[in-house]
Amino acid sequence: MKKENRLNSNIPKHVLLVMERLEEASFEAYVVGGCVRDLLLGKAPKDWDIATNARPDDVQKIFPDSVYENNFGTVGIKIRNQDADGKEIVEVVEVTTYRIESKYSDKRHPDEVKFAKTLKEDLSRRDFTINALALRVSEQESVSSDQQKIEKIAGTKFELIDLFSGQEDLENKLIRAVGDANERFNEDALRMMRAIRFSVTLDFSIEKKTFLAIQKNSENLKFISPERIRDEFSKIILSSTPAKGIELLQEAGILRIILPEIESGIGVMQSHHHYYGPYNTVYKHLVASLEKCPSKKLEVRLASLLHDVGKPKSKRGEGENATFYNHEYIGERMAKDILERLRFPRKVIDKVTLLVRNHMFYYNVDEVGESGVRRVVQKIGLENIGDLIDVRIADRLGSGVPKAVPYKLRHFQFMVEKVSHDPISVKQLKIDGNDLMEELIVDPGPKIGAILAVLLSKVIDNPTLNEKENLLILATELAKSNVGELRKMAEDKIKAEQKKEEELIKKKHRVS
Ligand code: ATP
Ligand code: MG
């Protein structure tokens, strides 16, 4: 019982108060699910769930300040309180009526819910033994005011309800399905991903029968909505052992359903001199890159996992002569398709595809000068450079090289810093369209933009040109050309720079 008593100081008073009020109205009330698991693990629960035999309308009668929006039996109760400075704070506690699983025909969580009479029924529909624990406040005589209730709560005793040996599994660090694993995964296929998610976030193993049942039913993830898959996948990717998560998904047969593009890197040899022993297939390299990713951002982790996803499709030749020409562009396209399919937000997709497309950017101390670095910054955006460097570090470490940030990359960071205030956009030029119209008698129209674009390309090469007088002299000269010629000048410059970089990348990877 000692363990239970230790629990009480960790449950917020407002949660206990809600349970008290329910019990007073002769209903049952238990703290259930993930929060009990987290309490027993000594972690701070993210949210608090209370289960009760009261129906949603009963709950709303007891707590008029509440909302019942979905039809899943969950009422959100608002508790108004004061913080240390006397400011009002509103805390929400979720109270859910006991439920049982209704019939499934399509391996998805049911849209309709069936209420149940007993806690036992409610606990039996939960996914894993460690998530099927409940805590109850022991019987005590009732008191009337909220203040008295809070005082009473301070000395409260708790009773842990553990009908499926969840405590034992917590101690042995095991994820085990409640009841028959096969049936449970047939009811809701997402549970298979949740098993892997809990395994990596808690550092638990998946119990053998449970894992076998996942392997048997993995195909059913086809029926699960992309949004639900995305949320579990993101939690796996953001855990402290994301690579273990991918390997588990693979072993379970889930990866081939949700991310076949990664699965198809299995066995694809890169056998290039800079991929060491165990990292020499595309699959192993991508998993290792995710493992070594230094960033905690979802986008950067996704980009680390996906940066070479275009390699299997772009591979030409075998052995030492294999080439992966344009894999970064093929990969960008594939990353976009994957992330759209999983319904990631537009912002995430844009960022990941930018990082995948540019992960090959070339930098070498003697070959790329300040103007080259300014062009990289212009293309990628100053705000993305740090993340791109992180993908590059992941890529490097995921190839088995021992040192994360070699001199070259540190020097690149230094150069970015150095040029970070130099002009890289038309807005930063010391003249604008109005100046051109006044001084040069250029008519309003597309010619103005074309002149500014050529001026910018000159200023990127040499920022000291960015002086008003200078630019006007240059512009006067440029104004003699027509729009078509001006546009060609700017485009040719961009193409030449691109070609130069591509040549350098090719040379480095010996793929020409
Ligand atoms: P987290 O720490 O991510 O919040 P959690 O275990 O609390 O983990 P929730 O999604 O908040 O997960 O769900 C709360 C509880 O509801 C779970 O602990 C589990 O008992 C139950 N549950 C959630 N999803 C499912 C599901 N798909 N099948 C069965 N039970 C589930
Ligand atoms: Mg939770």
Side-chain angles (χ1 to χ4, degrees):
M1 280 292 125
K2 274 188 217 114
K3 196 189 270 165
E4 284 83 355
N5 287 338
R6 198 184 62 202
L7 296 170
N8 98 33
S9 59
N10 294 319
I11 303 180
K13 297 280 180 282
H14 65 276
V15 174
L16 293 171
L17 188 61
V18 170
M19 295 211 286
E20 281 274 325
R21 302 259 300 264
L22 283 163
E23 291 206 328
E24 254 173 27
S26 305
F27 293 112
E28 299 171 9
Y30 295 87
V31 187
V32 283
C35 45
V36 181
R37 174 200 70 217
D38 289 345
L39 278 176
L40 291 170
L41 287 172
K43 296 186 178 177
K46 275 196 293 255
D47 37 37
W48 295 91
D49 299 310
I50 294 175
T52 181
N53 59 349
R55 294 300 171 97
D57 48 327
D58 295 326
V59 176
Q60 289 214 274
K61 266 180 220 142
I62 301 170
F63 303 96
D65 200 1
S66 60
V67 280
Y68 183 47
E69 281 164 344
N70 58 36
N71 275 314
F72 300 107
T74 302
V75 178
I77 294 165
K78 290 186 191 152
I79 303 285
R80 293 170 199 282
N81 237 323
Q82 292 192 339
D83 68 7
D85 307 325
K87 226 173 73 193
E88 190 189 66
I89 44 170
V90 180
E91 283 161 303
V92 177
V93 184
E94 299 208 316
V95 176
T96 307
T97 306
Y98 295 156
R99 283 162 31 185
I100 42 169
E101 295 295 18
S102 37
K103 278 266 170 281
Y104 295 84
S105 46
D106 57 358
K107 329 284 180 200
R108 295 185 206 205
H109 220 51
D111 296 326
E112 179 210 37
V113 303
K114 274 206 188 119
F115 294 131
K117 291 204 170 62
T118 63
L119 176 72
K120 184 173 179 197
E121 288 170 290
D122 186 81
L123 294 179
S124 347
R125 61 112 185 147
R126 293 177 183 269
D127 48 8
F128 305 108
T129 60
I130 59 166
N131 289 344
L133 293 158
L135 262 186
R136 172 174 189 254
V137 185
S138 314
E139 300 256 338
Q140 285 184 19
E141 67 192 274
S142 98
V143 288
S144 56
S145 79
D146 274 1
Q147 188 50 43
Q148 282 173 308
K149 276 172 209 162
I150 286 172
E151 279 160 19
K152 178 182 147 189
I153 283 163
T156 300
K157 297 227 165 24
F158 291 86
E159 183 192 343
L160 188 65
I161 289 90
D162 180 7
L163 304 177
F164 305 99
S165 308
Q167 280 188 99
E168 196 184 317
D169 286 338
L170 267 183
E171 256 147 51
N172 296 325
K173 303 181 117 210
L174 277 180
I175 312 288
R176 182 197 309 269
V178 171
D180 184 275
N182 210 31
E183 271 171 37
R184 310 317 312 282
F185 296 141
N186 253 293
E187 288 163 356
D188 179 5
L190 189 77
R191 289 173 185 158
M192 298 184 278
M193 279 190 80
R194 285 174 57 89
I196 291 172
R197 189 254 286 189
F198 287 121
S199 164
V200 294
T201 54
L202 302 175
D203 192 20
F204 277 31
S205 308
I206 300 174
E207 176 271 329
K208 198 164 166 211
K209 271 193 194 151
T210 303
F211 196 72
L212 286 171
I214 297 179
Q215 288 179 314
K216 190 170 159 199
N217 291 284
S218 58
E219 190 101 6
N220 289 337
L221 269 155
K222 295 203 281 248
F223 302 110
I224 297 299
S225 81
E227 289 83 358
R228 293 181 77 207
I229 291 177
R230 173 201 62 206
D231 289 347
E232 290 302 326
F233 184 67
S234 299
K235 287 179 184 169
I236 292 171
I237 293 288
L238 288 171
S239 74
S240 55
T241 51
K244 182 182 146 199
I246 300 291
E247 302 261 45
L248 274 173
L249 288 170
Q250 201 282 322
E251 228 181 293
I254 294 175
L255 195 66
R256 71 191 164 87
I257 308 295
I258 63 167
L259 257 182
E261 297 88 345
I262 295 291
E263 178 103 6
S264 62
I266 293 176
V268 177
M269 297 299 288
Q270 329 205 64
S271 59
H272 194 276
H273 61 96
H274 64 236
Y275 293 96
Y276 292 82
Y279 305 99
N280 63 1
T281 70
V282 173
Y283 173 75
K284 289 281 180 200
H285 169 55
L286 289 179
V287 172
S289 300
L290 172 63
E291 182 179 11
K292 303 289 184 187
C293 178
S295 172
K296 289 189 159 56
K297 290 187 196 169
L298 178 68
E299 292 90 337
V300 183
R301 293 211 170 177
L302 286 169
S304 299
L305 176 67
L306 295 171
H307 75 277
D308 277 348
V309 74
K311 273 189 170 172
K313 275 194 184 156
S314 67
K315 186 172 180 178
R316 298 287 177 270
E318 270 308 325
E320 277 303 310
N321 298 319
T323 66
F324 300 93
Y325 191 48
N326 275 342
H327 77 270
E328 65 273 41
Y329 299 105
I330 296 171
E332 172 195 12
R333 182 75 233 174
M334 291 172 72
K336 181 165 177 282
D337 291 345
I338 292 167
L339 300 175
E340 280 177 352
R341 185 176 74 218
L342 290 173
R343 308 276 195 278
F344 276 94
R346 181 50 49 198
K347 253 184 89 175
V348 172
I349 300 176
D350 288 346
K351 177 74 167 247
V352 175
T353 50
L354 175 115
L355 295 172
V356 171
R357 177 174 71 244
N358 291 297
H359 81 268
M360 302 280 286
F361 78 92
Y362 188 83
Y363 183 73
N364 204 359
V365 182
D366 299 321
E367 281 168 287
V368 183
E370 289 186 20
S371 66
V373 175
R374 277 190 290 273
R375 284 182 201 283
V376 175
V377 174
Q378 182 193 29
K379 190 166 73 173
I380 291 158
L382 192 58
E383 71 280 14
N384 297 316
I385 296 280
D387 292 336
L388 187 62
I389 289 175
D390 281 348
V391 172
R392 195 63 161 250
I393 292 171
D395 185 1
R396 250 181 87 77
L397 290 177
S399 312
V401 293
K403 214 165 148 205
V405 192
Y407 172 67
K408 245 196 318 201
L409 220 44
R410 280 205 317 275
H411 197 270
F412 177 68
Q413 281 168 314
F414 159 78
M415 289 286 277
V416 168
E417 181 63 30
K418 193 168 169 202
V419 307
S420 64
H421 300 292
D422 294 343
I424 52 169
S425 82
V426 167
K427 267 184 270 165
Q428 289 165 292
L429 290 177
K430 288 279 158 63
I431 60 171
D432 60 16
N434 289 326
D435 298 322
L436 289 184
M437 286 187 284
E438 281 164 25
E439 305 281 333
L440 295 165
I441 324 169
V442 185
D443 295 329
K447 195 163 175 180
I448 303 225
I451 291 176
L452 290 173
V454 179
L455 288 178
L456 177 63
S457 81
K458 291 185 187 297
V459 166
I460 288 179
D461 276 342
N462 178 4
T464 62
L465 295 178
N466 196 17
E467 294 298 339
K468 189 164 179 178
E469 246 165 74
N470 246 327
L471 294 178
L472 283 172
I473 296 168
L474 285 168
T476 316
E477 195 53 35
L478 289 170
K480 292 174 188 157
S481 307
N482 64 35
V483 179
E485 289 164 340
L486 287 165
R487 285 199 179 139
K488 194 162 181 315
M489 273 184 231
E491 272 164 27
D492 284 351
K493 178 72 188 171
I494 291 171
K495 276 191 200 139
E497 292 295 333
Q498 242 168 26
K499 193 144 181 254
K500 210 153 79 186
E501 192 187 5
E502 272 165 24
E503 290 301 321
L504 289 167
I505 292 174
K506 271 198 214 171
K507 191 180 84 186
K508 179 172 142 200
H509 290 269
R510 301 202 195 121
V511 293
S512 47

